[in-house]
Amino acid sequence: MPAFDVDSALRWARLDPGRTLARRADEHLPFISDTAEAGNELLLDTCVYIDGMQGRSPDVVADLLDIRQINHSTVAIQELMHTIGVLDPGHLGTKTAIGQIKTTIAAMPEHRIFTPNADVLGRGAMLSGILCRIQGYQHDARLRALHDCVLFLQAQKLGLAVLTANVSDFDYLLQLMPTSRVLLYRVAA
């Protein structure tokens, strides 16, 4: 069997609802509660690292990271390194930001970093294409959707839950694939 089965992936066309998806009310979404609880292992979305570095994570996220097994994706590493690339070298805060990102990536245990395989990448690309078309995503939103879809499917393949503050996009993904695991949070005000 090839690393990527195109015919099998094409059957995912059934995921296309043929209409724009509406963002559901918060009470219908899997937000973490005010108290961290044991549960599934987590795969962190890039926003979790960024919110932590910027001090915007609610306390319950730190508590959750303390009690659950944490896993990392090369997708997040890629996005963090992209951030370094777009930072203005002449800005006063750039050196500090690069240092924080470097420290964050260096702290990821090698045995807890996972790389999406050809199947996840291929299906993620198809899923993001569907999402971009039905939601009318343009330009930068398309690349963000591709990364989100790959991370979402990678977590599903590994039996993990994605932890993210990206409520809208992951709500749409959960509408397309409702049996997947996602935990949402809101950034601290």
Side-chain angles (χ1 to χ4, degrees), residues 79 82 128 132 138-148:
E79 289 182 315
H82 178 265
S128 73
C132 289
Q138 298 296 318
H139 309 294
D140 289 346
R142 289 182 176 189
L143 182 58
R144 186 188 74 232
L146 176 60
H147 290 154
D148 289 344

Side-chain angles (χ1 to χ4, degrees), residues 86-98:
V86 299
L87 289 173
D88 178 0
H91 189 275
L92 293 175
T94 295
K95 186 175 181 180
T96 300
I98 290 172

